[in-house]
Amino acid sequence: MAADLGDLAAFASVARAGGFRDGARASGTSASGLSEAVRRLEAKLGVRLLNRTTRSVAPTEAGARLLERLTPALDEVEAALDVVNGFRDSPAGTLRLNVPVSAARLVLPRIVPPFLAAYPDIRLDVVAEDGFVDVLAAGCDAGIRYDERLAQDMIAIPIGPRVQRFATAAAPHYLDRHGRPQHPRDLLDHACLRGRFASGAMTAWEFERDGEVVRVDPGGPLIVRVGAATDLAVDAAIAGTGIITLFEDWLRPHLDSGALEPVLESWWQPFSGPFLYYPGRRYLPAPLRAFVDFIGAQRALPRLAPEGSRDAAGADRS
């Protein structure tokens, strides 16, 4: 009763993703094709593998047992095929990355063009979303996150700037009207533009100077979803609506132009930069191996940027 390998892979994609549409997105196929493959597999095996409702798709007990045994087997098949890929003159295939919106905007632009130029047979598929995800369940090969969001069983390598800072700023005409804060607690008397994560948690406003750490929770007229609507908060700050705290490099062009003025600069808190993380496998897919090697080679190059220039950074540590 040999089942088709493609049908087995289709079932695994749907079961991991929790739905045909998300499974299709993760596997790069159509939802209808996955549905037909799962029906074919169930008919072949004579047992229902997925419970389907209008709102969700979940493995049956038989499906869960099959997925448990199938996942490492499919990983081995993929690794075996990728060994052959290593004999090509140039690695080929798709590399799927799950990254914060901030990394897609401010970290990857320095990396992606030269990487794709070096590896023309690799297609890069980037999913930008904030919040921690299981990269394998999401159908991705690797992700970018900060160290506090990394799973313990993942391999992590530095990518992008190694030290970043949160910056606080406001339009000069806002500060002329309302005064310039001298201490982080002064922010409690100002209109502040806040961010909220998908989990519902508000972004932290934390400041540090000479070993003193001050955390404040100011109010204000605008709250935006971190990542997706961050530019709205930046535009509001430039318009004089209030004070914003964000990664320094997100605000840097506006600070340099004078549209925004630094606030409490001596209190800006530094933190370590992001990491590329991926599962610890004996054999990495060739596109991922090429990307890991490319990042390593970039980090080994001497910095030629003029003194005073800054690395790109993300806008939230998600």
Side-chain angles (χ1 to χ4, degrees):
M1 190 190 298
D4 182 82
L5 184 60
D7 292 349
L8 290 168
F11 158 72
S13 294
V14 174
R16 287 184 193 135
F20 288 95
R21 183 177 301 175
D22 289 341
R25 188 180 298 113
S27 61
T29 57
S30 68
S32 60
L34 289 180
S35 179
E36 178 59 32
V38 171
R39 280 198 296 266
R40 194 163 50 237
L41 180 61
E42 289 178 329
K44 181 79 171 180
L45 299 179
V47 63
R48 178 177 289 276
L49 300 173
L50 296 173
N51 286 320
R52 306 161 177 83
T53 70
T54 56
R55 294 186 176 181
S56 65
V57 174
T60 62
E61 183 178 355
R65 294 289 297 276
L66 175 61
L67 182 65
E68 181 182 352
R69 299 292 296 273
L70 189 60
T71 296
L74 289 175
D75 288 344
E76 283 299 315
V77 170
E78 184 178 347
L81 293 175
D82 207 62
V83 168
V84 178
N85 194 13
F87 285 90
R88 294 170 50 92
D89 292 335
S90 177
T94 298
L95 171 61
R96 294 185 177 90
L97 299 179
N98 186 286
V99 307
V101 172
S102 57
R105 174 177 173 143
L106 299 171
V107 175
L108 290 183
R110 295 190 177 191
I111 297 170
V112 168
F115 172 73
L116 293 179
Y119 297 97
D121 295 326
I122 291 178
R123 183 179 68 172
L124 192 58
D125 184 350
V126 177
V127 177
E129 58 184 344
D130 294 285
F132 183 77
V133 299
D134 183 330
V135 290
L136 293 181
C140 295
D141 301 294
I144 295 176
R145 290 297 186 274
Y146 287 82
D147 51 6
E148 72 269 25
R149 293 276 186 136
L150 296 176
Q152 294 300 313
D153 57 349
M154 292 286 181
I155 295 175
I157 63 172
I159 185 172
R162 297 324 312 141
V163 177
Q164 299 176 263
R165 289 195 303 177
F166 283 119
T168 304
H173 57 278
Y174 170 89
L175 297 172
D176 290 340
R177 292 197 313 270
H178 301 283
R180 287 164 172 79
Q182 301 302 308
H183 189 278
R185 295 189 187 91
D186 294 343
L187 294 170
L188 298 174
D189 298 322
H190 282 266
C192 294
L193 313 177
R194 302 294 302 273
R196 177 184 284 130
F197 294 109
S199 65
M202 298 288 285
T203 55
W205 282 35
E206 193 168 279
F207 301 85
E208 182 178 355
R209 187 175 71 179
D210 299 331
E212 180 186 3
V213 176
V214 178
R215 186 182 180 114
V216 296
D217 187 21
L222 179 65
I223 299 173
V224 300
R225 171 74 174 268
V226 166
T230 297
D231 277 334
L232 174 59
V234 175
D235 290 342
I238 293 171
T241 306
I243 298 177
I244 189 170
T245 288
L246 199 59
F247 280 18
E248 178 182 358
D249 290 286
W250 194 296
L251 298 180
R252 178 49 54 188
H254 309 298
L255 293 168
D256 290 343
S257 71
L260 291 176
E261 178 182 321
V263 172
L264 299 169
E265 187 168 4
S266 63
W267 286 88
W268 290 1
Q269 187 179 55
F271 54 90
S272 62
F275 292 84
L276 174 74
Y277 73 102
Y278 53 92
R281 296 174 175 171
R282 184 178 178 186
Y283 298 107
L284 291 182
L288 177 56
R289 169 51 61 193
F291 191 68
V292 169
D293 291 343
F294 185 83
I295 296 302
Q298 275 206 333
R299 298 206 62 79
L301 292 174
R303 292 281 179 163
L304 299 179
E307 185 177 353
S309 67
R310 293 169 171 84
D311 286 315
D316 62 85
R317 290 190 289 171
S318 298

